[in-house]
Amino acid sequence: LTLRDFDLKACNALSRGDFRMLSELGVARGHSSGPSKLDMSFDERSQASFYFQRVRANNAAQREEYSKSCRSVLGPEVGDGPKEDFGDLCRRRFGSMVAAWRLCLDIENAGRLSYAEMCAAARRLGFAGDLKELFTRYDVGNKGHICLQDLDQESDAAVKSFVELVDQHCGGLEGLWVMLQKDSHLRLDVKDVAKACKMLGYDHEPHKLMKCLQPNFGGTTISIHDIEPLFVLTRKLLRGRTRANRSLHGSGSFQVGGSLGLAGTAVAEDLQQSYSPSGQRGARKVVNPRAVDTTSKRPEDLRHLMTQVHGSTVAAWCKAFDTQGRGFVTLCQFCGAMPKCEL
């Protein structure tokens, strides 16, 4: 709600610096109960004119107590002052760079920002500095885009390390709550996060991790729904990094028993025995705990995939299914949205 929505005449008067709304007809010539101008003398009509009312208002505004109350009298021009740093502004408004990235900068959950997207995000944030210089400062490798790692490398490494450990030891967020012997509807505080970090062998500080996972500025607890979109996006980025490393060290396809580059022969032998049906240590089938049977016809499996890929069912519906916002989809549109959900 703005003053223009509330009172258009007051908004127009404020834009002219008329705090008493003397320029408005309804006030200057308003329906007051005073004497009519026909009954006034020449001096009284002069004093009731707009000019003299304006002079009296300006004289009243020069008083110290009036200027303090409405700040109508400004001091000499001293410039805009020092501009706040972009990182400090993000932390002041959202508590951490990760929260600012999730809630203000990367609102589309793409994992990266182009120059145009960065400019729009900086305007939403209220940044008053040079946008071109800001983008050049963080785009170190001239990639044409920036990501969370460019803005805060320490927080990005802390979140990625925690996501990898949770998926490796717990199989997902639900397993993390089970490991802590808590219901999935309950919230975790700093002590619970510190306990989970100790059980997972997490290297970074739990308090800094809690600040990164917290989407609500000043909050002390987190729920599974608070951090699930962050986990989905981080997994997507980790999968992209894995594909890039494979294409860098090999042909891009994973072959058991082939050359693994820096991984070494021991890892190759271990993987060979893991995937071989007649390995000496027994057949050990490696299964992704978050994997969903893509041949299943159950609606809950589709909803699970929509959440894993897009962060939530609502986001998947808006981005993949109902892109035009009509509220429904046809069979052709439904089938076309399946590849976007990795089905």
Side-chain angles (χ1 to χ4, degrees):
L1 182 67
T2 63
L3 182 60
R4 185 179 184 88
D5 302 324
F6 184 73
D7 192 338
L8 181 59
K9 291 184 178 181
C11 180
N12 294 333
L14 180 61
S15 64
R16 292 188 291 268
D18 184 8
F19 294 96
R20 293 190 176 185
M21 299 179 64
L22 301 178
S23 57
E24 294 298 327
L25 296 178
V27 177
R29 305 177 184 175
H31 314 285
S32 61
S33 59
S36 173
K37 289 188 177 181
L38 296 177
D39 301 332
M40 294 180 182
S41 64
F42 177 78
D43 293 335
E44 290 174 345
R45 287 197 302 270
S46 299
Q47 293 296 328
S49 64
F50 172 77
Y51 172 76
F52 284 101
Q53 292 188 45
R54 179 71 176 178
V55 170
R56 287 195 297 269
N58 285 334
N59 293 335
Q62 300 298 327
R63 299 172 185 170
E64 185 179 359
E65 62 274 8
Y66 187 85
S67 61
K68 286 181 179 180
S69 61
C70 62
R71 295 184 295 177
S72 62
V73 179
L74 301 179
E77 292 290 339
V78 293
D80 296 333
K83 295 182 175 60
E84 189 174 8
D85 182 70
F86 182 77
D88 296 337
L89 178 61
C90 291
R91 295 181 181 91
R92 179 175 64 83
R93 289 198 56 186
F94 295 95
S96 67
M97 184 62 74
V98 179
W101 177 265
R102 294 176 54 189
L103 303 178
C104 181
L105 302 180
D106 185 23
I107 57 177
E108 297 293 336
N109 290 330
R112 62 176 63 182
L113 292 176
S114 63
Y115 176 70
E117 293 171 339
M118 183 64 183
C119 293
R123 294 189 188 99
R124 286 194 302 269
L125 185 65
F127 181 68
D130 188 355
L131 298 180
K132 187 174 182 180
E133 186 273 334
L134 175 69
F135 188 81
T136 306
R137 188 208 316 172
Y138 288 113
D139 186 18
V140 181
N142 294 326
K143 307 181 297 297
H145 64 270
I146 61 175
C147 54
L148 178 60
Q149 185 178 4
D150 301 323
L151 298 178
D152 193 341
Q153 187 173 3
E154 182 181 358
S155 299
D156 181 73
V159 172
K160 287 181 178 178
S161 176
F162 184 71
V163 172
E164 287 181 324
L165 287 174
V166 169
D167 289 344
Q168 180 181 354
H169 295 278
C170 306
L173 282 175
E174 296 83 358
L176 176 63
W177 260 253
V178 172
M179 184 185 70
L180 294 174
Q181 298 181 357
K182 284 183 172 289
D183 187 82
S184 59
H185 297 89
L186 298 179
R187 304 178 68 89
L188 303 182
D189 55 10
V190 182
K191 295 181 180 179
D192 296 326
V193 174
K195 179 181 177 181
C197 293
K198 185 177 181 180
M199 298 173 68
L200 295 174
Y202 184 70
D203 297 332
H204 303 271
E205 296 183 12
H207 290 275
K208 290 185 177 180
L209 174 65
M210 181 67 177
K211 206 170 184 179
C212 295
L213 299 178
Q214 179 61 254
N216 304 315
F217 187 33
T220 57
T221 59
I222 55 175
S223 67
I224 192 171
H225 302 290
D226 291 335
I227 60 179
E228 187 174 14
L230 179 62
F231 268 63
V232 173
L233 177 60
T234 306
R235 288 164 184 159
K236 190 182 301 183
L237 296 177
L238 291 174
R239 287 198 298 266
R241 187 178 65 180
T242 305
R243 296 191 192 102
N245 292 336
R246 288 177 181 176
S247 62
L248 181 64
H249 295 293
S251 60
S253 60
F254 180 74
Q255 296 179 354
V256 179
S259 175
L260 295 179
L262 299 177
T265 355
V267 178
E269 293 176 356
D270 182 69
L271 290 174
Q272 180 66 36
Q273 292 182 358
S274 301
Y275 281 88
S276 174
S278 58
Q280 294 182 357
R281 286 187 289 178
R284 186 179 62 186
K285 184 179 180 181
V286 179
V287 180
N288 185 2
R290 301 188 315 275
V292 178
D293 184 11
T294 55
T295 62
S296 175
K297 298 182 180 180
R298 298 186 303 170
E300 50 268 24
D301 291 338
L302 175 60
R303 287 194 291 267
H304 182 67
L305 277 175
M306 292 166 68
T307 303
Q308 290 291 331
V309 176
H310 295 280
S312 67
T313 310
V314 177
W317 175 262
C318 297
K319 294 180 182 179
F321 291 84
D322 187 18
T323 56
Q324 299 179 356
R326 296 187 299 174
F328 63 92
V329 292
T330 63
L331 177 61
C332 181
Q333 292 172 337
F334 183 83
C335 296
M338 289 297 101
K340 298 180 183 179
C341 295
E342 299 182 0
L343 189 62

